[in-house]
Amino acid sequence: MSYFKTAMLLAGMTALFMGVGYLIGGASGAMIALVVAAAMNIFTYWNSDRMVLSMYGAQEVDARTAPDLHRMVAELAGLAGLPMPRVFIMDNPQPNAFATGRNPENAAVAVTTGLMQSLSREELAGVVAHELAHIKNHDTLLMTITATIAGAISMVAQFGMFFGGNRENNSGPGLIGSIALMILAPLGAMLVQMAISRTREYAADEMGARICGQPMWLASALGRIENAAHQVPNYEAERAPATAHMFIINPLSGQGMDNLFATHPSTENRVAALQRLAGEIGGGGASFGRPSSPSPRGPWTGAPRGSGQPRARGPWG
């Protein structure tokens, strides 16, 4: 049902895009719009991961520069039946994470320094498993396509304003129609994009919880990230709000409701779903690592606070 709903929403967005082109230029306008969208999708298919990682200043790490994180991703990827993705760290105080890449063979997982400093090891494992679930479900490509089509709809709608507003015949939408098109078409595309994103988040939560074997690890992480995300600004995300749907929790301010305009489901609903899943699969032995009680809050790579033991060096070396 989740995939069927996603397919229907994506088909609706494509129909909206062609409809905008048709209103502006008739059948030829619809074809031109379709060609433009295809060209944009081809470009983003090959370059989207590099573009978004560069946008957030993500630095690639390996087993030498971030051994604990790299080992965690490798073990969870094995449990998920995935190739080892590239691992990136963003020097950003807001705890958050996202996955990108056109397919599992060319995927990347990126986490912020704020995430690594504020979550326990178990919570971080839940977040990484969630992002790996997006990769396994091919959501990274799907969300890139929807973002590209949404951007193309906005672009074509603006063309309608400039080229259709001065027409006095019936070949274009006219001035009033062009203004309405410029406002309503991007709004409709945004709503469909958000609906697709919310559908995929629920699916990734469930699969991620099953990958790590402990739904409550992810539930605890979601609550912690939600609280911090609205207190610690993510300036890169604020400058590029179209990428907000990629993160595990919306990095923008003022988005906490599970409503029509939310890029993510409400955290309360996601946690409730994970609690139900925990009741179904039990909370016994963990699939990831050895069963253990949650570690004290603080940087997940270090020794427990107050233990008197020296902390391990962080992921930056």
Side-chain angles (χ1 to χ4, degrees):
M1 180 59 67
S2 176
Y3 281 106
F4 176 76
K5 182 179 179 181
T6 299
M8 293 300 296
L9 290 168
L10 187 58
M13 178 174 279
T14 303
L16 174 62
F17 179 63
M18 295 187 67
V20 170
Y22 181 82
L23 287 175
I24 294 174
S28 60
M31 291 303 300
I32 292 173
L34 190 60
V35 170
V36 170
M40 293 176 68
N41 278 323
I42 291 172
F43 177 80
T44 55
Y45 177 84
W46 293 104
N47 299 283
S48 61
D49 54 345
R50 284 174 289 186
M51 291 169 59
V52 71
L53 290 168
S54 176
M55 182 185 305
Y56 285 96
Q59 299 295 318
E60 186 170 6
V61 296
D62 54 26
R64 181 182 59 85
T65 54
D68 294 323
L69 176 63
H70 195 271
R71 188 182 310 113
M72 174 184 290
V73 175
E75 184 174 347
L76 288 167
L79 291 171
L82 290 170
M84 176 64 184
R86 297 165 68 192
V87 183
F88 289 79
I89 295 178
M90 300 171 280
D91 189 8
N92 191 309
Q94 183 189 86
N96 229 317
F98 66 81
T100 185
R102 61 183 181 272
N103 53 39
E105 291 71 31
N106 297 274
V109 173
V111 302
T112 66
T113 52
L115 187 80
M116 301 180 69
Q117 292 166 1
S118 60
L119 299 190
S120 70
R121 183 176 185 272
E122 291 80 7
E123 290 168 337
L124 183 60
V127 171
V128 171
H130 170 97
E131 298 306 330
L132 291 174
H134 276 308
I135 295 172
K136 190 174 181 68
N137 288 335
H138 295 267
D139 292 339
T140 50
L141 177 60
L142 174 65
M143 297 313 300
T144 297
I145 292 175
T146 57
T148 302
I149 296 177
I153 289 175
S154 298
M155 180 185 69
V156 172
Q158 300 224 7
F159 283 163
M161 177 63 186
F162 288 109
F163 297 104
N166 294 326
R167 296 182 180 181
E168 295 181 356
N169 52 33
N170 293 327
S171 61
L175 178 60
I176 296 177
S178 296
I179 294 175
L181 189 66
M182 186 177 65
I183 296 172
L184 296 178
L187 178 61
M190 179 185 68
L191 296 179
V192 176
Q193 181 187 7
M194 289 177 178
I196 293 174
S197 176
R198 287 178 290 170
T199 299
R200 303 317 309 154
E201 287 302 320
Y202 279 124
D205 282 347
E206 179 176 354
M207 179 174 287
R210 293 184 183 276
I211 289 172
C212 70
Q214 292 286 350
M216 294 313 298
W217 289 358
L218 178 56
S220 177
L222 290 176
R224 191 168 297 278
I225 298 170
E226 171 75 16
N227 291 334
H230 296 294
Q231 300 175 19
V232 181
N234 187 328
Y235 296 110
E236 289 81 5
E238 295 290 347
R239 287 192 290 266
T243 63
H245 67 280
M246 297 179 58
F247 288 84
I248 189 169
I249 290 289
N250 193 342
L252 308 178
S253 59
Q255 297 279 355
M257 300 294 293
D258 188 6
N259 55 37
L260 197 60
F261 296 95
T263 60
H264 294 65
S266 73
T267 301
E268 292 81 2
N269 287 352
R270 295 171 70 180
V271 169
L274 288 167
Q275 289 173 336
R276 291 192 295 269
L277 180 61
E280 294 174 9
I281 68 177
S287 298
F288 168 73
R290 292 177 297 180
S292 62
S293 59
S295 60
R297 304 300 175 221
W300 63 275
T301 52
R305 287 176 175 166
S307 65
Q309 302 176 16
R311 283 191 180 275
R313 297 181 68 185
W316 293 105

